[in-house]
Amino acid sequence: MNQFKDDYNNRGCLVGSCSFNCLAKYKISRRSIKLLKEIKNLKTEHDAFKEKIEAQPPRAVRKIPTSSTIVGKMIKFNLEKVRGYLADDNVSMAGIWSMGGVGKTTLLNEINNSLLGGDINMGFKYVISLVVSKEPLFGKLQKEISERLRLPFGSKKSDIFEFLKNKDFLILLDDMWKAVDLPETLGIPLPHHQSQSWEDKGQRYKHKVIFTTRQDDVCACMKADKHIKVECLDGEEAWHLFKQHSNEEIINSNACIKKLAREVMERCSGLPLTLKVIGGAMLNKKKPEEWHHILRSLVNLDAKTIIGIEESLFNTLKLSYDNLADDTLQQCFLCCAQWLEDKEMFVFNLIEYWIGIGLIDDFRNIGEAFDKGYDLIGNLNAACLVELESRSDYDYVKLHDVIYDMALWIVSECGKKKNKWITCTNNGDDLSQSIEWEAGTWKEVERIFFGMNWRSVTILLNYLNIDEKDLISVTPTSPRYPNLKILFIVPLDSILQRCYNSFLNIFPHMPSLIYLNLSSAPISDLSKEFEF
């Protein structure tokens, strides 16, 4: 253009702004027409190129970076199971559920990453992975979907719906706590068989949703075609994962450390989250004494000795507890931690206990009360906080070891008051240690559960200063257990018969007692101090 300007100014024979040099003007005109045509052609090619680039769809699958390695046959089996559902036209929605920390997110990420690359994405035009969380921000999630689909800025859920309704897509939703109306909250079209407006005509598109949750109830409310429960790892698989996150070289360097490491691993009960957290805590522990210390800490639930365990483990698991429907259900769950660890709780006894302490009330007859109890247990089982099992003659519940520890941690106000509830086994050394540790602070005890043999009884009676004449040395004006509300004393052998009179003498020193369980105790009468 500068050259044109110079040529135009130098064309000669000027009269004012006019020139009589027709040949120069002709040449300039011809060149300008040619140049203008070239500019138009370039502009047309540029616009076509730009349109082609803008119309290019995003990659079907984006890889999710993960530091977790798939460990165990079950998780690999579940991965193949889900991929089978993705290829099955009769399965549009699947829910992956389990307690916190088992590896649901790892499995979901592996599902996403397994679809990377050309013909292995099973024909999905879009695979979108989202983290929903306990308190979902649907506006933020809509924005993520819009950006993933390259929709214009400010697109609404209706725009997402219109874009996706005639596309093959897979939506991966992690960490769902409640059922979500997908079209209403995120603009995601429902799978065809769930859509009331869908007419079974024309082309059928693949609309699939896979989500993770801690509750099987969410799978039911979402009308998932398949429910997949993720289980904990078995012994060797757990050992392999534990070594991955600790220091295998240190473990193998010393036979004593290797034995202790096995015991520490077993305390993790196959829960991947626990194995990773505890394994990481032992990454640089090179002395057997350090492994002894961590093992004792796990056994005694002295969580503060393990750096970060409260935040990374129990707080994570506690989310399932916090999400329970109401305080009654939370208290019912915590009651399960009063039983001895790894012991089966008969459903009948557990519900009877809930009735006795007033967690189940407002019923017309005992049948209604037990119906309510079974409903509560069903809710806890669906939340993966208890495991409900049935045998031919009875039903019982159990707690996963880590869930049991987490429940005691909650009861102790996150480790601040370890002596609020005291649960002792029939091991005399156990009881002796508990008494020694808590001797100065037992006035804070609110619940006691003793499963006792003769040795345990002897230790307890000695601590209570009961003499041979069944007399206690504490005056009634100074009760030893002023805040004790609930007392279980479960005899484990027949020799206890001669001790129960001694126990009866201590009850007047428990002014706050509201619930007493002396199951199977050989008692013919109760002390006069008891008022009904």
Side-chain angles (χ1 to χ4, degrees):
M1 296 305 296
N2 289 333
Q3 183 63 49
F4 267 114
K5 186 176 179 180
D6 292 340
D7 291 345
Y8 184 80
N9 292 332
N10 297 326
R11 65 191 185 277
C13 304
L14 296 174
V15 178
S17 61
C18 298
S19 171
F20 295 106
N21 190 341
C22 295
L23 181 60
K25 290 194 294 183
Y26 174 76
K27 290 181 178 180
I28 292 171
S29 177
R30 293 288 297 175
R31 284 169 55 203
S32 65
I33 291 171
K34 183 179 179 180
L35 183 61
L36 181 60
K37 185 178 180 180
E38 187 177 351
I39 290 171
K40 288 181 178 179
N41 288 338
L42 286 172
K43 187 173 184 301
T44 301
E45 291 176 11
H46 172 268
D47 291 343
F49 179 74
K50 182 179 178 182
E51 184 179 348
K52 184 176 180 180
I53 292 297
E54 290 179 344
Q56 194 73 15
R59 292 182 62 185
V61 188
R62 287 182 178 176
K63 184 175 182 179
I64 300 176
T66 175
S67 59
S68 301
T69 304
I70 285 189
V71 175
K73 296 179 181 177
M74 280 306 300
I75 192 168
K76 294 178 181 177
F77 173 76
N78 285 331
L79 175 58
E80 291 307 311
K81 181 190 294 185
V82 174
R83 285 180 56 84
Y85 295 153
L86 295 180
D88 187 346
D89 292 337
N90 295 317
V91 178
S92 295
M93 185 178 292
I96 301 170
W97 70 285
S98 72
M99 72 175 77
V102 174
K104 301 182 296 296
T105 299
T106 299
L107 175 57
L108 200 68
N109 291 344
E110 288 298 327
I111 293 167
N112 178 87
N113 293 345
S114 73
L115 298 174
L116 285 165
D119 58 352
I120 64 172
N121 70 3
M122 299 187 175
F124 291 111
K125 193 172 183 65
Y126 300 99
V127 178
I128 302 174
S129 182
L130 301 169
V131 179
V132 180
S133 76
K134 186 177 181 181
E135 302 293 339
L137 300 173
F138 292 117
K140 179 175 178 292
L141 294 173
Q142 287 177 25
K143 184 179 178 182
E144 289 182 29
I145 297 172
S146 296
E147 291 176 352
R148 182 72 176 85
L149 300 175
R150 295 185 180 175
L151 297 179
F153 179 78
S155 295
K156 300 179 180 179
K157 61 187 178 184
S158 57
D159 301 313
I160 296 173
F161 185 91
E162 288 300 318
F163 185 87
L164 285 176
K165 69 179 183 180
N166 295 326
K167 304 287 192 306
D168 296 321
F169 67 80
L170 168 64
I171 306 294
L172 303 174
L173 302 173
D174 191 24
D175 197 23
M176 285 182 56
W177 288 80
K178 295 179 181 179
V180 173
D181 186 326
L182 296 177
E184 181 63 29
T185 58
L186 296 173
I188 298 173
L190 284 172
H192 298 314
H193 71 279
Q194 291 190 16
S195 176
Q196 296 178 352
S197 62
W198 176 260
E199 296 182 6
D200 193 15
K201 298 178 181 179
Q203 185 176 355
R204 294 290 297 269
Y205 294 94
K206 294 172 67 174
H207 294 176
K208 303 225 175 190
V209 177
I210 309 292
F211 62 89
T212 69
T213 179
R214 294 192 183 188
Q215 301 188 54
D216 192 25
D217 283 353
V218 175
C219 299
C221 292
M222 290 292 291
K223 299 180 181 178
D225 303 303
K226 298 293 181 180
H227 300 200
I228 305 162
K229 185 176 182 182
V230 181
E231 303 288 354
C232 292
L233 302 177
D234 64 21
E236 286 308 309
E237 292 172 344
W239 179 233
H240 179 60
L241 182 61
F242 182 82
K243 289 190 295 183
Q244 273 190 354
H245 289 270
S246 54
N247 190 321
E248 188 169 1
E249 183 178 348
I250 292 176
I251 290 174
N252 292 331
S253 67
N254 184 297
C256 181
I257 288 180
K258 189 170 186 177
K259 179 177 181 296
L260 290 168
R262 274 274 186 182
E263 293 182 44
V264 169
M265 178 274 295
E266 289 169 359
R267 288 292 303 177
C268 297
S269 304
L271 187 66
L273 174 62
T274 322
L275 292 162
K276 294 173 184 177
V277 172
I278 303 302
M282 303 308 294
L283 188 61
N284 200 35
K285 306 299 182 183
K286 302 177 181 178
K287 297 182 179 297
E289 292 80 4
E290 294 174 304
W291 287 87
H292 273 296
H293 175 64
I294 204 76
L295 181 59
R296 280 194 298 269
S297 298
L298 288 171
V299 171
N300 299 323
L301 196 61
D302 189 5
K304 288 187 177 181
T305 64
I306 306 171
I307 297 174
I309 190 173
E310 293 181 8
E311 180 178 356
S312 58
L313 178 58
F314 289 140
N315 276 331
T316 301
L317 299 176
K318 186 175 178 287
L319 290 174
S320 292
Y321 166 84
D322 291 337
N323 197 56
L324 293 175
D326 52 42
D327 181 69
T328 297
L329 196 56
Q330 290 180 340
Q331 292 302 314
C332 286
F333 163 68
L334 294 179
C335 285
C336 298
Q338 194 168 344
W339 263 255
L340 305 180
E341 187 174 7
D342 292 326
K343 297 297 182 183
E344 299 173 356
M345 293 169 276
F346 295 113
V347 167
F348 180 90
N349 293 341
L350 183 58
I351 295 175
E352 193 178 56
Y353 176 41
W354 289 345
I355 296 171
I357 62 176
L359 291 176
I360 298 178
D361 55 10
D362 191 25
F363 52 86
R364 291 174 296 182
N365 55 61
I366 198 67
E368 285 187 2
F370 272 84
D371 289 344
K372 178 66 181 296
Y374 268 95
D375 182 64
L376 292 169
I377 289 173
N379 290 333
L380 293 175
N381 181 62
C384 288
L385 289 174
V386 303
E387 300 171 16
L388 174 62
E389 297 188 25
S390 298
R391 294 179 181 168
S392 56
D393 51 346
Y394 63 87
D395 298 326
Y396 68 95
V397 296
K398 288 184 67 175
L399 294 186
H400 188 283
D401 291 351
V402 178
I403 297 297
Y404 177 88
D405 291 345
M406 185 264 292
L408 290 180
W409 181 72
I410 293 172
V411 169
S412 68
E413 299 180 12
C414 303
K416 296 175 184 177
K417 295 184 178 180
K418 295 185 295 181
N419 56 307
K420 283 184 68 175
W421 291 13
I422 293 179
T423 301
C424 288
T425 67
N426 63 328
N427 184 300
D429 294 331
D430 248 3
L431 183 58
S432 179
Q433 280 188 324
S434 295
I435 290 171
E436 180 182 352
W437 292 337
E438 312 297 344
T441 54
W442 271 35
K443 289 184 178 180
E444 297 178 6
V445 175
E446 295 178 2
R447 301 188 189 190
I448 296 177
F449 190 118
F450 285 152
M452 311 178 77
N453 60 13
W454 171 243
R455 187 183 179 195
S456 302
V457 172
T458 303
I459 294 171
L460 181 62
L461 293 183
N462 288 339
Y463 170 71
L464 294 174
N465 300 321
I466 296 176
D467 60 23
E468 296 178 353
K469 297 181 180 179
D470 293 336
L471 298 175
I472 190 166
S473 61
V474 180
T475 62
T477 57
S478 178
R480 184 175 289 272
Y481 302 106
N483 296 308
L484 185 64
K485 297 177 181 179
I486 296 169
L487 176 63
F488 273 71
I489 301 178
V490 181
L492 300 176
D493 55 33
S494 58
I495 202 167
L496 290 177
Q497 184 167 1
R498 57 178 175 169
C499 303
Y500 268 89
N501 288 333
S502 301
F503 281 121
L504 292 178
N505 284 327
I506 70 173
F507 294 140
H509 304 279
M510 302 175 179
S512 301
L513 195 67
I514 61 171
Y515 184 89
L516 174 65
N517 190 318
L518 300 175
S519 300
S520 305
I523 296 177
S524 57
D525 61 290
L526 290 174
S527 172
K528 294 179 180 179
E529 285 80 5
F530 281 90
E531 296 181 4
F532 295 89

